[in-house]
Amino acid sequence: MSTAAPIVIVGTGLSGYTLAKEIRKQDNETPIIMITADDGFSYSKPMLSTGFTKGKEADGLAQASPDAMVEQLNLELRTYTTVTGIDPDAHELVLGDERLGYSKLVLAWGADVIRLSIEGDGQEHVFSINDLMDYRAFREALQGRKRVAIMGAGLIGCEFANDLRNGDYEVDVVAPSETLMPGLLPRPAAEAVRSGLEGLGVRFHLETVVEHIAAKGNGVTLTLANGEQLDADLVISAVGLRPRTELAAAAGLATNRGIVVNRALETSAPDIYALGDCAEVDGHVLLYVLPLMASARALAKTLVGERTEVKYGTMPVMVKTPCCPTAVCPPPSDARGNWEVEAEGQDVRALFKGASGEVLGFALTGRYAVEKQALSKEVPPIHS
Ligand SMILES: Cc1cc2nc3c(=O)[nH]c(=O)nc-3n(C[C@H](O)[C@H](O)[C@H](O)COP(=O)(O)OP(=O)(O)OC[C@H]3O[C@@H](n4cnc5c(N)ncnc54)[C@H](O)[C@@H]3O)c2cc1C
């Protein structure tokens, strides 16, 4: 391997670009090559579910062009280039017919949307939105349309429901759960968000699923398992994400729910690292921005020569439902304790307390959402 081999970063999402920025703060010389399957525009993915609320089209959500990123970060960027394999022994990436040598390789290639296989001839009207290009395609298809059905009542489904209502679209949400964001919010907080969204005009069809999507005119008719039928112009599928692990597993890297890395973001193969939505860091798969920022800062230090472990602090998440502001910090999955809830209308303060009364997690809605900062200081960090 030549000593001139570059650091290669696969992915130009928040993980890849944040890492490159952090490296360049400390080292402007080491050659870096970034590779991305998409157009390489820099954007903040959480903003995709705020377009109507902020009055922005897809172009308005882009923060910098690929050329601007190349100049700013002094690196080589290859857009519309898909990695098809990794050869850890040779220290090479496989890009179709081509091979590219690396000194260090960073996998920041995100998570794939889960696609349901639903019967019916209306599939072309179904959109998943997991990057800026997806969002651009969705906004183009939305021109002149009025009715959107959303499959999934998780964080992303609820945020799009609020945003589309703010854009004056009719919104139906279909989901198998009894409540909204079931993995994230305790029931009273979920009910508060539901009442906020219903107050805005969102219609919920819970405890059922879409079984059939038939083309009808320029839109579709959805048939639900409970027998209901809904007409819509477009459908958003927001039923979940799965870390991209296949290429890593095929190359012999350890994978589990994500690509397995330790706190130094090292995979099981020498000189290969992973962070962001694709990574399982010391047992944690957290598809959020705060963990990837902390990881990028630690990994940049390692890559410039000072091996550094990431330490996850408290990781609260703001749910972007302005009709019912919501902040949540879920307790660890193995935490023992109970939710203590104060609720008045849409204002809910739910604290998850352990045996000695210590706060291990929280969910805050309405006027209590502002308590997020103060409570985050009480909750123990993920990595003590
Ligand atoms: C609508 C929405 C709202 C969100 N809101 C919030 C929020 O409020 N707060 C929060 O903390 N988090 C939020 N998230 C989650 C957060 O945005 C993600 O955790 C984060 O953006 C993931 O960044 P990433 O760089 O790891 O992955 P991605 O942004 O998915 O980037 C992956 C990159 O890898 C490239 N790639 C993939 N496969 C290949 C391949 N084989 N070859 C070459 N390139 C490849 C892609 O082209 C892309 O450039 C939200 C997510 C969505 C979708």
Side-chain angles (χ1 to χ4, degrees):
M1 185 187 58
S2 138
T3 50
I7 295 174
V8 175
I9 302 172
V10 185
T12 56
L14 281 169
S15 300
Y17 274 143
T18 307
L19 175 66
K21 283 179 201 162
E22 292 293 330
I23 296 174
R24 283 298 181 238
K25 280 183 193 168
Q26 304 166 64
D27 169 351
N28 204 30
E29 301 302 320
T30 305
I32 299 177
I33 298 181
M34 294 192 74
I35 295 179
T36 178
D38 63 30
D39 60 11
F41 271 81
S42 166
Y43 70 101
S44 173
K45 192 184 287 197
M47 295 300 111
L48 296 183
S49 48
T50 66
F52 289 104
T53 308
K54 293 201 176 345
K56 290 190 172 171
E57 303 270 344
D59 287 344
L61 294 174
Q63 292 170 332
S65 69
D67 288 347
M69 295 309 286
V70 166
E71 192 166 335
Q72 182 192 331
L73 297 170
N74 180 29
L75 48 72
E76 185 183 328
L77 172 57
R78 296 178 61 173
T79 56
Y80 299 111
T81 303
T82 301
V83 171
T84 52
I86 307 167
D87 184 340
D89 292 337
H91 273 58
E92 285 177 348
L93 267 185
V94 186
L95 312 166
D97 295 338
E98 191 194 335
R99 286 188 164 241
L100 175 70
Y102 59 80
S103 58
K104 310 275 183 193
L105 171 64
V106 181
L107 307 177
W109 60 29
D112 264 328
V113 291
I114 294 173
R115 287 176 208 280
L116 302 175
S117 62
I118 297 175
E119 293 195 352
D121 59 358
Q123 305 299 331
E124 71 193 75
H125 299 276
V126 181
F127 291 76
S128 294
I129 304 174
N130 189 34
D131 61 37
L132 188 60
M133 289 169 70
D134 292 342
Y135 188 66
R136 186 171 281 119
F138 172 69
R139 287 295 293 261
E140 276 166 19
L142 202 55
Q143 301 270 349
R145 307 301 179 90
K146 283 300 325 155
R147 300 164 306 176
V148 180
I150 300 175
M151 298 193 286
L155 175 135
I156 292 173
C158 290
E159 290 190 353
F160 275 116
N162 196 143
D163 196 50
L164 285 161
R165 280 304 298 144
N166 287 356
D168 216 15
Y169 292 87
E170 282 182 43
V171 179
D172 286 276
V173 176
V174 183
S177 54
E178 274 178 52
T179 59
L180 312 190
M181 297 179 261
L184 204 55
L185 294 183
R187 184 181 278 266
E191 293 299 336
V193 178
R194 178 176 179 165
S195 124
L197 287 169
E198 283 179 339
L200 213 56
V202 176
R203 295 180 292 252
F204 285 97
H205 312 263
L206 300 182
E207 298 182 74
T208 189
V209 291
V210 176
E211 278 192 339
H212 194 266
I213 304 178
K216 182 184 178 193
N218 284 331
V220 289
T221 298
L222 307 182
T223 305
L224 311 190
N226 66 6
E228 237 184 302
Q229 291 208 317
L230 299 175
D231 286 339
D233 298 318
L234 297 179
V235 180
I236 294 179
S237 175
V239 297
L241 292 163
R242 192 176 289 131
R244 293 187 172 110
T245 55
E246 276 162 29
L247 292 178
L253 275 60
T255 60
N256 186 30
R257 285 180 300 144
I259 300 169
V260 170
V261 296
N262 58 18
R263 288 199 201 178
L265 291 321
E266 295 159 338
T267 67
S268 59
D271 299 321
I272 305 182
Y273 305 82
L275 81 163
D277 278 7
C278 64
E280 180 174 324
V281 182
D282 188 28
H284 297 279
V285 177
L286 297 171
L287 309 189
Y288 298 111
V289 174
L290 286 180
L292 73 83
M293 303 285 258
S295 298
R297 284 191 293 271
L299 183 52
K301 283 193 189 154
T302 299
L303 294 176
V304 302
E306 183 192 339
R307 186 178 181 279
T308 304
E309 298 197 339
V310 66
K311 229 176 155 185
Y312 283 169
T314 309
M315 301 279 183
V317 178
M318 287 299 295
V319 182
K320 297 183 293 302
T321 44
C323 69
C324 179
T326 300
V328 56
C329 185
S333 52
D334 57 354
R336 287 168 163 271
N338 292 301
W339 285 102
E340 283 184 13
V341 181
E342 277 172 64
E344 204 188 312
Q346 276 182 35
D347 304 323
V348 174
R349 185 170 191 265
L351 305 182
F352 189 89
K353 291 193 176 171
S356 17
E358 72 280 21
V359 181
L360 299 174
F362 60 79
L364 308 166
T365 67
R367 69 186 168 89
Y368 289 120
V370 293
E371 292 181 18
K372 178 191 82 161
Q373 297 287 52
L375 275 167
S376 293
K377 294 195 181 112
E378 285 188 40
V379 174
I382 293 176
H383 287 146
S384 48

